[in-house]
Amino acid sequence: MGLVGYDGAKFSVPDDVEIPYIDGDGIGPDIMKAALRVFDACIKNVYDARRSVSWVRLEAGEEALSKTGSYVPDVTIDEIRRHRVAIKGPLTTPVGKGIRSINVMLRKKFDLYANIRPVRYLPGLPSPLKDPNGIDITIFRENTEDVYAGIEFASGSEAAKSLIDFMDEKLGVKIADGAGIGIKVMTEAASKRIMRSALDYALSHGKDRVTIMHKGNIMKFTEGAFMQWCYEVARETLGQRLITEQEVTEFNGGSVPSGRVLVNDRIADNMFQQVITRPRDYSVVVTPNLNGDYLSDAVAAEIGGLGVAPGANVGNEYAIFEAVHGSAPKYANKNIANPTSLILAGAMLFEHLGWTEAHGAIYGAIEKTVRAGIITQDLARELGSASVGTAEFADAVIRNLQ
Ligand code: NAP
């Protein structure tokens, strides 16, 4: 068995690759078990004996805490580093106490600066929209900065008090005593690299529009600057291929001419209504961390909910693929949870490795399964139809890989 290699510029993937996985908490083990069966069947079906995956189990979350006293033991970090890619189930984050977030910690540790969430409607899925057909939006969320980076100081703490004094004395800004304080940081480097990722994706996947989502009208020096930096990258990267919204509407009847890429921007609040009223106008969306967190779940709701939308955290050297939903503890060990999000995250992992046939096969099999009305309870209850369990759903996907 071999490891994914990286020579400083590109990855190499052996045909018999080792990939680590983390079950996760709550429903994590249920959906991981189902997903791994689908992955193995897919690889065997698509590549016969030419390619294979050996799965390496790593511990993190509540299981690791009870066994080792640490949510993410060093060995887990070392193994992800050694393998360069991993797939994980959801991990519980205690609210208002304990570890800040294992997910945020992993993103920081491996500099996984791009959170990528493709949201594509598959016919047969329930949707709150009258017509969800054709929704195909991939969100590139900056993953390392913004208020989401967790630079926060508790109300009444020494750090918060000194910041309040500093703001008053040095900057003449009055903040109420006893305020909790969070800091919003956005840099040119981080904003530009997420835009580069979004543009690379758009160009390599034949997408003709990239939308910058921001709240720069109010937060001018963070989100406003994010927008400007993104436009700078668009101009540098696309040159003559860049087309503006004005050119598209005034001279091209609203459509993007072949070979060109429209780069436009939307203020965050408007973006939320646009993805409901005109979702087909959006293809690739690039956004700071917090906006992206909210938007990805909102758009996921349009195509069946969190149970069906996959996600990836990708950096230059490492990548971790995941279900975007949480650990939904009330469904743990009940064979109820929907494994689709994690299964599609696996499809993204295979695409990342360059195994595009496996990516296509998994999407095809999920599509066929859902179209046949074989769905888990989260979706069935919306449609008033019968449901299957986690394992039975995976069985159907495996049958549809044939
Ligand atoms: P959640 O676990 O995503 O669950 C919220 C609701 O979404 C569930 O009650 C269920 O809805 C539905 N749901 C989510 N995944 C589902 C699936 N695969 N199949 C069927 N239904 C599913 O969100 P949460 O309750 O806010 O968070 C629980 C824990 O997970 C928290 O500790 C949170 O921090 C953590 N979390 C982790 C990640 C991650 O690891 N990436 C992401 C988000 C949250 P119904 O109740 O309507 O049936």
Side-chain angles (χ1 to χ4, degrees):
M1 280 292 155
L3 302 180
V4 172
Y6 181 68
D7 66 5
K10 57 181 177 19
F11 292 98
S12 57
V13 182
D15 283 337
D16 56 346
V17 67
E18 254 185 35
I19 299 177
Y21 70 95
I22 295 167
D23 274 333
D25 300 320
I27 57 173
D30 299 356
I31 59 173
M32 186 62 80
K33 194 168 160 203
L36 292 179
R37 285 202 292 123
V38 171
F39 302 154
D40 285 339
C42 171
I43 297 303
K44 185 163 188 312
N45 201 48
V46 173
Y47 299 114
D48 198 10
R50 276 191 304 119
R51 282 181 169 158
S52 61
V53 178
S54 167
W55 301 100
V56 179
R57 188 171 186 279
L58 303 179
E59 286 173 354
E62 289 163 351
E63 179 193 20
L65 183 71
S66 69
K67 287 190 188 165
T68 68
S70 162
Y71 277 104
V72 190
D74 289 346
V75 61
T76 296
I77 299 289
D78 293 345
E79 286 297 288
I80 296 175
R81 185 167 287 120
R82 202 164 72 85
H83 289 86
R84 296 198 176 274
V85 293
I87 184 162
K88 62 172 269 297
L91 294 163
T92 295
T93 306
V95 177
K97 60 179 167 75
I99 185 169
R100 193 180 286 282
S101 162
I102 302 170
N103 301 306
V104 174
M105 186 274 250
L106 289 172
R107 288 169 194 174
K108 278 193 177 162
K109 191 124 216 148
F110 293 103
D111 197 21
L112 307 175
Y113 60 85
N115 183 268
I116 306 171
R117 295 205 188 171
V119 180
R120 193 166 110 200
Y121 181 71
L122 304 177
L125 291 174
S127 170
L129 297 188
K130 266 193 289 191
D131 177 16
N133 286 295
I135 294 182
D136 187 358
I137 299 174
T138 303
I139 298 168
F140 279 74
R141 161 186 168 198
E142 202 291 318
N143 225 0
T144 62
E145 300 195 324
D146 203 349
V147 280
Y148 211 98
I151 308 173
E152 285 198 307
F153 304 97
S155 160
S157 64
E158 276 312 309
K161 278 187 203 149
S162 7
L163 277 169
I164 290 168
D165 290 346
F166 174 85
M167 295 296 285
D168 187 13
E169 285 161 22
K170 302 281 184 200
L171 303 175
V173 175
K174 294 254 181 254
I175 296 177
D177 282 340
I181 301 202
I183 306 242
K184 184 175 177 85
V185 174
M186 289 197 187
T187 62
E188 180 173 351
S191 305
K192 286 189 163 178
R193 67 181 179 172
I194 190 70
M195 183 60 173
R196 280 191 202 100
S197 297
L199 284 173
D200 280 354
Y201 175 88
L203 292 171
S204 62
H205 288 74
K207 308 282 183 189
D208 66 1
R209 49 190 75 206
V210 177
T211 302
I212 306 159
M213 173 194 183
H214 60 88
K215 190 71 187 165
N217 54 329
I218 304 298
M219 291 171 272
K220 296 178 194 300
F221 306 128
T222 47
E223 305 229 353
F226 176 86
M227 179 199 76
Q228 278 163 7
W229 289 321
C230 287
Y231 272 124
E232 274 175 41
V233 171
R235 284 191 290 272
E236 283 158 21
T237 310
L238 297 172
Q240 296 299 316
R241 280 184 295 174
L242 174 67
I243 188 164
T244 64
E245 189 148 45
Q246 193 183 12
E247 287 173 277
V248 166
T249 36
E250 286 182 14
F251 310 117
N252 292 283
S255 46
V256 180
S258 165
R260 309 286 298 275
V261 179
L262 164 67
V263 177
N264 57 3
D265 71 279
R266 292 286 179 274
I267 291 175
D269 37 341
N270 180 29
M271 187 75 206
F272 270 94
Q273 69 123 11
Q274 294 268 308
V275 292
I276 293 168
T277 54
R278 345 176 29 150
R280 281 163 290 267
D281 283 0
Y282 298 93
S283 174
V284 177
V285 177
V286 59
T287 172
N289 207 340
L290 186 62
N291 296 337
D293 187 45
Y294 298 153
L295 187 76
S296 5
D297 281 18
V299 182
E302 297 182 347
I303 57 113
L306 294 182
V308 297
N313 296 295
V314 179
N316 292 338
E317 294 187 43
Y318 304 96
I320 299 181
F321 298 79
E322 65 179 358
V324 305
H325 54 75
S327 54
K330 69 180 176 183
Y331 293 139
N333 304 312
K334 291 196 171 132
N335 194 37
I336 280 180
N338 187 347
T340 304
S341 174
L342 190 62
I343 294 173
L344 293 179
M348 292 178 79
L349 161 62
F350 292 132
E351 187 183 36
H352 181 79
L353 299 180
W355 296 10
T356 48
E357 306 83 358
H359 171 267
I362 290 177
Y363 260 91
I366 294 270
E367 201 161 348
K368 219 163 145 188
T369 307
V370 168
R371 213 185 263 274
I374 301 171
I375 47 179
T376 44
Q377 66 85 33
D378 52 319
L379 306 175
R381 71 185 175 194
E382 301 298 323
L383 295 168
S385 59
S387 65
V388 298
T390 312
E392 293 69 33
F393 180 81
D395 292 340
V397 175
I398 291 168
R399 279 196 301 278
N400 285 326
L401 282 164
Q402 306 302 323

